[in-house]
């Protein structure tokens, strides 16, 4: 039906009350996609968490499960010990993502060290990501996310993100981009209106290719355009508004991509998702 959104829509579900509760939230909102962190702050997941989880989420119609990295990586640090530690943590998270039977693992590249150049930083981050994925038990598709940028943080600009995806893809299969609308806005891309979103997407097509974008994070933002600040808001409560989003949701080339809302839980998740479905 051409009046429906083309992205596979769903929610980021907090795991603070446990994994079954996170899944309950996705199921009660009738999500077709969900995102969660790989482990809780206190206590790892138990074997029985993994057991029932995949069966229940697939039966409930959640086609796409994304795991979002939970630690702040120093993958490009010039300090070998810190970088080594980050690689090991990432390998551990990737191993967990495979146990959750995730369709993808989302991560940020982090920042490079003051004594490095951007190019050196991108190379160190790419090397670290490849190494960690070789250490992990099973390959999970990697989704490298754009960030608000600023300072030495890598992946704010689409050129940087494309360079990183390319560097990892040269040595590993199944590497994609995940594009966050609030981060793009913070990095200076005006995706609020229809025209701005079209301009952004045509850059995405040129630099990354639509087939290499596996997910979008659909967030409004209270931060100022180009502020490099992150301040996710529910749609309609931020500065982006709905016009750019409408364009994105209508694009057929992203039919296989997930669209995840990372905003705080609202009173009615199902209604919010239906509102977005109807927007396209
Ligand atoms: Zn993220
Ligand atoms: Zn995001």
């Amino acid at each position: 039906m051409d009046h429906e959104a083309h992205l596979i829509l769903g929610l980021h579900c907090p795991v603070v009350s446990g994994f079954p509760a996170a899944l309950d939230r996705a199921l009660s909102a009738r999500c077709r996609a969900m995102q969660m962190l790989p482990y809780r702050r206190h206590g790892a997941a138990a074997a029985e968490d993994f057991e029932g989880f995949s069966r229940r989420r697939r039966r409930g119609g959640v086609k796409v499960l994304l795991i979002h990295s939970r630690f702040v990586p120093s993958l490009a640090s010039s300090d070998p010990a810190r970088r080594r530690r980050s690689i090991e943590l990432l390998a551990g998270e990737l191993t967990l993502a495979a146990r959750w039977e995730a369709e993808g693992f989302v991560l940020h590249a982090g920042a490079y060290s003051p004594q490095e150049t951007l190019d050196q930083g991108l190379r160190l981050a790419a090397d670290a990501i490849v190494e960690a994925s070789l250490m992990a038990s099973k390959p999970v598709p990697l989704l490298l996310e754009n960030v608000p940028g600023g300072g030495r943080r890598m992946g704010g600009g689409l050129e940087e993100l494309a360079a990183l995806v390319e560097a990892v893809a040269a040595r590993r299969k199944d590497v994609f981009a995940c594009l966050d609308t609030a981060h793009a806005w913070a990095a200076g891309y005006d995706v609020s209106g229809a025209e701005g979103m079209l301009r952004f997407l045509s850059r995405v097509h040129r630099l990354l290719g639509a087939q290499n974008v596996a997910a979008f994070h659909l967030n409004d933002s209270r931060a100022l355009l180009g502020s490099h600040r992150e301040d996710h808001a529910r749609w309609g409560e931020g500065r982006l508004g709905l016009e750019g989003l409408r364009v994105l949701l209508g694009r057929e080339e992203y039919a296989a991509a997930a669209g995840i809302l990372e905003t705080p839980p609202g009173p009615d998740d199902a209604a919010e998702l239906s509102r977005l479905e109807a927007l396209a």
Side-chain angles (χ1 to χ4, degrees):
M1 285 188 286
D2 53 9
H3 59 275
E4 276 188 357
H6 289 294
L7 297 181
I8 302 168
L9 294 180
L11 303 172
H12 176 88
C13 298
V15 296
V16 59
S17 305
F19 299 100
L23 181 54
D24 285 344
R25 180 171 171 225
L27 296 179
S28 71
R30 296 192 291 280
C31 290
R32 293 187 294 133
M34 75 177 279
Q35 178 179 276
M36 66 177 194
L37 300 179
Y39 57 92
R40 296 167 70 190
R41 191 179 295 278
H42 303 292
E48 55 269 29
D49 285 332
F50 295 114
E51 269 266 333
F53 192 91
S54 292
R55 216 173 24 245
R56 200 155 77 88
R57 71 111 169 154
R58 291 207 173 96
R59 201 184 291 149
V62 181
K63 226 176 112 180
V64 178
L65 169 68
L66 299 179
I67 296 291
H68 193 300
S69 171
R70 87 163 293 158
F71 75 100
V72 179
S74 306
L75 295 169
S77 174
S78 61
D79 174 345
R82 278 191 66 179
R83 185 161 170 273
R84 173 64 28 205
R85 177 87 190 114
S86 282
I87 292 171
E88 283 163 7
L89 280 167
L90 179 56
E93 291 196 341
L94 288 167
T95 296
L96 282 174
R99 289 203 69 183
W100 288 118
E101 299 182 26
E103 274 72 32
F105 180 89
V106 182
L107 77 161
H108 308 177
Y112 58 94
S113 296
Q115 57 272 48
E116 291 163 4
T117 64
L118 169 64
D119 282 348
Q120 287 171 321
L122 289 170
R123 197 164 51 237
L124 279 172
D127 288 350
I129 291 166
V130 170
E131 194 180 337
S133 69
L134 292 173
M135 285 163 68
S137 62
K138 246 200 229 170
V140 175
L142 289 175
L143 279 62
L144 303 174
E145 185 179 354
N146 67 320
V147 296
R152 288 177 278 102
R153 288 180 293 174
M154 297 176 286
L158 288 174
E159 288 81 1
E160 283 174 30
L161 188 68
L164 192 67
V165 169
E166 207 175 299
V168 177
R171 284 167 292 163
R172 222 209 88 132
K173 281 196 302 186
D174 285 345
V175 183
F176 303 91
C178 170
L179 298 174
D180 186 312
T181 53
H183 292 175
W185 170 262
Y189 299 102
D190 184 353
V191 291
S192 62
E195 216 174 290
M197 179 60 84
L198 283 171
R199 208 163 27 231
F200 176 71
L201 291 177
S202 80
R203 285 169 105 147
V204 169
H205 290 198
R206 186 157 40 81
L207 293 164
L208 286 156
Q211 72 285 1
N212 294 319
V213 180
F216 288 87
H217 285 165
L218 304 175
N219 303 308
D220 202 336
S221 176
R222 286 188 199 86
L224 291 173
L225 175 65
S227 63
H228 302 306
R229 284 189 52 247
E230 180 154 20
D231 194 358
H232 290 181
R234 291 170 67 78
W235 287 101
E237 293 172 11
R239 294 175 190 275
L240 268 65
L242 296 170
E243 287 314 308
L245 177 67
R246 188 197 304 278
V247 167
L248 174 56
L249 290 174
R251 301 295 290 231
E252 287 180 15
E253 64 267 41
Y254 295 116
I260 302 285
L261 279 71
E262 292 182 308
T263 38
D268 192 346
D269 292 332
E272 179 68 354
L273 286 174
S274 305
R275 180 165 79 112
L276 296 198
E277 286 282 358
L279 202 61

